[in-house]
Every structure is written in C-alpha cells, then in structure tokens.
Amino acid sequence: MTYIEAVVLYCLKEIKGERTIFSIFHLLKGKRSSQTIQDAHLYSLTSLFYSYPPIDRDSFTKVVRGLYKKKLIAESEAEKYILTEEGDQQLTIFFKEKPFPEWLNGWLYGSTVEVLWKRLSLLVQVLSHYIRASQRYYPVQRERDVQTWIKSFLNEPPVPLKQLNNLLFTDIVSLARQESFPDDPDILICRLTGGEFIGLTRGQAADRLGMGEDEYWYRFLNVLHYTAGEVTSEKTKYPVLYALIKDLVPEITLTQSSEETYKLLKRGMDIKRISELRRLKESTIEDHVVEIALNDKVFSIERFVPEADIEHILHIARKVKMRKLKPIKDALPQLSYFQIRLTLARYGDQI
C-alpha cells in the first residue's frame, strides 16, 4: 500500500460512508467551500485539509480504484465507500510500520507552511552566500513576493547580518534536537541549498531516504507543521524562525467573505439584514455562520439555535449514530437544516 492510499483509507474510515469519495479529494486539495470546510471539522479531518494539493482528479480516482481492486474498500452507495475488514486491518498495520503525520494541522497551517518553507530555504541560501562574500547564484525561490519579503527582512534583521546566520543555525539545530521532533531532520535539511551544496528536489529526497514520493511529501509536511506549531508557541526560543512565520498565522482561519459576515454579526445584524447589505443569498450567509462556528469556539450559536433545540439535535444524532442531516431533520421537522448544520458544526465532535 502506498502512503496516499493509506491516507485515503484513513479518511474513508472517518467519514463512514456518509460522504462521497470526492469529498476526500476536495479535502486533500484544500477546497475552501462551505461543504468541505464543514466536513473537515465534522469528521475530525482538519489535520489533512490541504495536505496533498499536487493530486489531480484522475490520479485520485486511480487511487480509489486501486483500493477497490485490492478489496480494501467496498461501495456502499454510488461514489460512497466504506472500509472492508481487510482494509481496516491493513490500515492499522500500515501506520504501525510507517509514521502517521500526527503533527499535521492543515486547516491552520495549510498554505502558511508553503510560504514558511520558501522564506526559510531562500534565507538559508542568501545567508550562506553572504558569509562567503558571493553574489553570483540562482535563487532557489523565484516568487517576487518571497524575494521581496526576504529583502525587507534583511534590511531590518533581528540581529546584525554577521550574526544572523549563526542564530538561524542555532534555531534549526535546537528545533531538531527537541524530543518531540517528529522525524529524521534530514527530511528537511537535505532540501536546503547553501554554499556549494545544492538542495535535493522532492523526488531526489525521497530516493535518498528510501521511500515513495507521496510518503516523503507527508513526512516533509509533517515536519513543517511541527515547526510552525513549535515556533509559534516558543517565540523567544526560535527568534529567527518565528520572524519567518509570525505574519502568516491568523488567530482564526476564515475565508475572506466569512470574515466580512462576521464583522457585521458583531455589529448585531441578523442574517436577513446581512444578506441584503452584502447582496448575497441568505443561504450563503448561513454558510458563513457555520464556518464561523467551526473556527471560533467563543462564537455563540444560541442566537440561532435555542439551547433546548441543540440538545434535541445532539440526542437524535447520537441515536442514529451518524452526522447526516436528513435523519435528524425527519425527526425534528420544526427545525431548519441551517440550525442542524450549525449545531453539528459546533458540537459534532461530541456525537
């Protein structure tokens, strides 16, 4: 079994046949639709959100077909699959032998770690040439935004440039020596370019470390997510690494449109008024409210769903042992789908 096959199996196990197989595709790609965002939270799969953006639909379909041919999954409904007993056993065995990417937090750090890696790899290259008084080299990162950021950072560094290289080295070594560091540091280090050393590509790194490219991808990503979490929680311990990421991690992760809706909610407006003001459908504003409830744990949903109705929804959800909306709606016809979705968004992990 390949690593991406194991990841897809893991996702299928969590959604229990309640969503189509392509809900997983959208999750791995990081599609920021209300349905994908809600599914990620509802089925405790936020860690894997935006965790495999390179995959395309054809490649994903081949993965699913492969799992089906190996009899690791069975089709329960059209485009919906559940694990077979063999699939469940193979998944358990796989992640006993291979490390599960337990530090992933794709919903929080998805695109953040991409930028972190680009800044870090370019900074290492620039500083390595600076201390050698070498000005001729081809930048490993070509994006103008990344280059502009590094130039700005070096114009006002946290310490004198001559000390910055050593301080960055100390940060990286200190990070890699943490007992909680999730993997072989070479997974990250071998990709860095500096001086006479040319960093490896993803494929070259996978070959060097003796693993498939998909496994390398997840283990590399896991290290980056660990780095993001450790550095943001220990700011003073890793001053240079923190400087590379501090403007990238929002307190609450919302789509831009949902942020605008949230501002209006805080001003006391109801859904109908916000819909009129923003010239959007009420259902779209409802999607925003669900997204806000998923991401801001201090956001109160009682203004939309009375406390007694919340208890009724959770009671029925536990009774039917699923997070599908229709069985709950059938049992509680007086409530709207929005109220049910909102309640599951906030309390779905208690079912």
Side-chain angles (χ1 to χ4, degrees):
M1 189 189 308
T2 65
Y3 206 92
I4 187 58
E5 286 178 329
V7 169
V8 172
L9 267 186
Y10 177 82
C11 293
L12 283 170
K13 183 174 182 178
E14 294 301 303
I15 66 175
K16 301 178 178 66
E18 295 179 10
R19 295 289 186 270
T20 71
I21 192 68
F22 290 105
S23 67
I24 296 173
F25 172 70
H26 295 315
L27 175 86
L28 299 180
K29 292 286 286 184
K31 183 178 181 181
R32 296 183 72 86
S33 68
S34 59
Q35 186 64 61
T36 301
I37 291 168
Q38 184 169 345
D39 286 350
H41 287 82
L42 201 56
Y43 296 102
S44 301
L45 291 171
T46 52
S47 64
L48 293 169
F49 184 86
Y50 196 62
S51 66
Y52 205 59
I55 199 167
D56 57 36
R57 197 178 181 92
D58 287 343
S59 299
F60 179 80
T61 301
K62 288 179 182 177
V63 169
V64 176
R65 287 175 182 165
L67 293 171
Y68 184 76
K69 287 180 180 179
K70 295 174 186 175
K71 299 187 183 332
L72 300 180
I73 58 174
E75 192 168 18
S76 56
E77 298 178 43
E79 295 188 341
K80 293 183 179 180
Y81 294 83
I82 56 174
L83 269 66
T84 62
E85 185 176 344
E86 176 68 13
D88 196 29
Q89 291 174 355
Q90 289 299 317
L91 179 63
T92 301
I93 292 170
F94 185 90
F95 282 122
K96 281 183 178 178
E97 297 175 349
K98 303 279 188 181
F100 184 81
E102 60 181 344
W103 292 97
L104 286 188
N105 190 341
W107 177 246
L108 182 60
Y109 296 133
S111 58
T112 292
V113 294
E114 287 184 347
V115 180
L116 171 62
W117 168 247
K118 289 173 182 177
R119 289 178 179 179
L120 174 61
S121 57
L122 183 56
L123 181 61
V124 167
Q125 183 188 34
V126 170
L127 290 177
S128 68
H129 283 274
Y130 173 78
I131 62 174
R132 291 173 174 79
S134 170
Q135 296 182 355
R136 290 190 175 184
Y137 58 93
Y138 189 84
V140 293
Q141 302 296 342
R142 302 294 294 170
E143 291 92 333
R144 186 174 296 276
D145 287 349
V146 176
Q147 293 185 357
T148 299
W149 191 93
I150 291 295
K151 288 177 182 177
S152 177
F153 175 73
L154 293 176
N155 282 334
E156 297 182 23
V159 295
L161 280 179
K162 291 182 179 179
Q163 300 174 25
L164 187 59
N165 189 65
N166 288 336
L167 189 56
L168 176 58
F169 176 78
T170 300
D171 276 10
I172 294 173
V173 171
S174 177
L175 180 76
R177 286 178 175 171
Q178 295 300 304
E179 287 187 14
S180 56
F181 195 80
D183 216 318
D184 182 351
D186 201 35
I187 282 180
L188 185 144
I189 302 302
C190 72
R191 299 284 301 279
L192 295 171
T193 293
E196 303 302 318
F197 183 81
I198 305 299
L200 303 182
T201 64
R202 189 167 71 226
Q204 290 170 337
D207 290 342
R208 169 173 162 170
L209 296 166
M211 61 183 74
E213 196 167 330
D214 55 344
E215 178 182 350
Y216 174 79
W217 169 272
Y218 270 99
R219 291 173 68 171
F220 175 73
L221 197 63
N222 194 42
V223 169
L224 286 180
H225 283 225
Y226 170 85
T227 300
E230 173 70 9
V231 167
T232 52
S233 63
E234 298 285 351
K235 304 176 180 64
T236 58
K237 192 174 181 178
Y238 310 101
V240 182
L241 289 176
Y242 178 65
L244 297 180
I245 197 176
K246 66 180 181 180
D247 64 318
L248 300 174
V249 183
E251 291 185 11
I252 301 173
T253 306
L254 294 174
T255 58
Q256 186 175 352
S257 190
S258 293
E259 283 184 0
E260 292 303 314
T261 293
Y262 200 6
K263 290 176 184 177
L264 298 176
L265 285 170
K266 288 176 177 178
R267 290 168 57 184
M269 295 186 189
D270 61 16
I271 289 176
K272 188 176 188 311
R273 177 59 182 142
I274 296 172
S275 172
E276 293 170 349
L277 191 65
R278 299 200 61 198
R279 298 181 181 179
L280 295 172
K281 294 179 180 178
E282 287 190 26
S283 60
T284 300
I285 304 303
E286 289 175 350
D287 287 343
H288 295 168
V289 174
V290 171
E291 184 182 337
I292 293 163
L294 286 166
N295 289 282
D296 186 355
K297 297 308 179 185
V298 301
F299 176 73
S300 174
I301 70 168
E302 280 75 9
R303 64 189 283 191
F304 305 103
V305 194
E307 190 172 344
D309 289 335
I310 291 174
E311 292 301 322
H312 291 150
I313 292 169
L314 294 178
H315 173 73
I316 297 299
R318 294 185 185 110
K319 187 176 179 180
V320 299
K321 296 181 180 178
M322 62 176 63
R323 299 179 178 92
K324 285 185 177 180
L325 302 182
K326 192 174 186 306
I328 302 174
K329 175 65 174 173
D330 290 344
L332 301 169
Q334 74 278 17
L335 299 181
S336 68
Y337 275 109
F338 166 61
Q339 289 174 309
I340 297 169
R341 288 174 57 217
L342 187 57
T343 300
L344 294 179
R346 171 50 55 84
Y347 299 109
D349 58 350
Q350 297 181 17
I351 298 172

